[in-house]
Amino acid sequence: MRWTSRPRPWPRIWGWPRAAGEAALERQLAERLGVRVERSRELDLLRRFDPETRTLVLGAVQPAATRGFQMAYQIVAMTLAQVVEAELEAASFRSESAAQVCRTGLLNYAAGALLLPYGRFRETARQVRHDIEQLSLIFQTSLEQVFHRLSTLQRPGARGVPFYFVRLDRAGNITKRHSATRFHFARFGGTCPMWNVHDAFSRPDAWMVQLAEMPDGVRYVCVAKGVVKSSGAYLEADRRYALGLGCEAQYADQLVYADGLDLAGPSAPIGVSCRICERVDCSQRAFPPVDRRFEVLENDRRWVPFALK
């Protein structure tokens, strides 16, 4: 893959209402792009656009924040199409599938930037000490959208706190990830059971805060929150996720979630995944690391049924 050596600036989209919201987005679609918005009761529908009739159909059972994001996506898809296609051409992807994934990623980012404008969002986040619930209410977006946006505020000359963001399903699969930190994510297999993001599934009504330390010695303030996305029907299972956000402990004074944490006290020892974790004394280890020999002790049984050599 080949990227241009100097990134091209993205054009500004027209001035946007200070508090966008679903109604304002729908009005802008109609007035500026001639797009009519309809709603459907299809349970799994997020967005469907018909370019011939210029009709955007949204899932009526989805939360207002989701419908708002899908409208923002349609706006940037229509106004930034040439810019996105130029980036894809410069990247020289080897397959159309890869280009499609990148196209969606770029448009998702642009939609998030439209709903959460960089400068205003960064300054507001600083003022409320990155209180995710407050930011969600101020900008009329979902918690997940705020989690994700906070991890992208690394513009040269106007950087925010460097965060990682992650979303896990109940099987431990990482379905979204983004990081401006040194935090390492597992790409294959399960994630570390000592990481508080797993606790969020059992208490989706609570905010989980943890002071954790990776094997490289870097400490992080880790925030986790469970979310439930309603299916809209009794016979359809709700979708449940755990959202994680964290930054290095040196930025703790800028986080409301760090109030009350003993930053000089003990921290939870977490890792990437058992297969590559360097820790030899973890009571939660499920598998030996791939680069270490191990021995099963027949006459000395402990929580972990093998000893690393």
Side-chain angles (χ1 to χ4, degrees), residues 121-164:
F121 180 76
R122 172 176 168 267
E123 177 60 23
T124 305
R126 185 192 64 80
Q127 292 174 357
V128 302
R129 297 183 64 217
H130 302 88
D131 188 315
I132 295 168
E133 288 179 293
Q134 286 198 54
L135 292 169
S136 174
L137 291 171
I138 293 169
F139 289 92
Q140 302 181 39
T141 56
S142 70
L143 296 178
E144 183 175 331
Q145 290 164 10
V146 174
F147 268 82
H148 200 167
R149 185 58 167 152
L150 284 172
S151 72
T152 67
L153 303 179
Q154 295 300 298
R155 179 182 297 172
R159 298 187 188 279
V161 171
F163 286 105
Y164 72 74

Side-chain angles (χ1 to χ4, degrees), residues 14 23 31 35 38 43 58 65 89 106-107 110 124 145 160 166 185 195 223 230 235-236 258 261 272 285 287-288 293:
W14 59 79
E31 294 176 357
V35 172
E38 297 180 353
L43 295 181
L58 302 173
E89 183 179 355
L106 290 173
L107 292 175
T124 305
Q145 290 164 10
V166 67
F185 297 116
W195 191 16
V223 181
S230 174
L235 295 178
E236 291 288 334
L261 278 183
V272 180
R285 178 176 284 283
F287 308 102
R293 296 179 60 194

Side-chain angles (χ1 to χ4, degrees), residues 8 11 76-89 107:
R8 292 179 292 277
V76 298
M78 298 177 72
T79 57
L80 298 179
Q82 291 183 344
V83 178
V84 170
E85 294 308 312
E87 292 293 334
L88 296 178
E89 183 179 355
L107 292 175

Side-chain angles (χ1 to χ4, degrees), residues 133 143 147 200 203-208 223-227 241-244:
E133 288 179 293
L143 296 178
F147 268 82
R203 297 183 59 193
D205 59 326
W207 288 84
M208 321 296 289
V223 181
K225 180 72 170 68
V227 293
Y241 297 101
L243 307 177

Side-chain angles (χ1 to χ4, degrees), residues 17-29:
R18 188 168 184 82
E22 186 178 3
L25 288 162
E26 185 171 348
R27 184 170 60 252
Q28 294 288 337
L29 274 167

Side-chain angles (χ1 to χ4, degrees), residues 166-226:
V166 67
R167 188 182 77 175
L168 273 69
D169 66 16
R170 286 189 292 180
N173 300 307
I174 295 179
T175 58
K176 286 186 180 180
R177 75 180 83 200
H178 190 269
S179 181
T181 73
R182 292 177 283 177
F183 194 91
H184 300 291
F185 297 116
R187 292 191 173 274
F188 305 100
T191 56
C192 179
M194 302 290 285
W195 191 16
N196 72 337
V197 71
H198 297 287
D199 297 331
F201 288 106
S202 61
R203 297 183 59 193
D205 59 326
W207 288 84
M208 321 296 289
V209 182
Q210 176 188 48
L211 179 64
E213 183 175 328
M214 292 292 282
D216 60 5
V218 180
R219 286 185 161 196
Y220 295 86
V221 177
C222 304
V223 181
K225 180 72 170 68

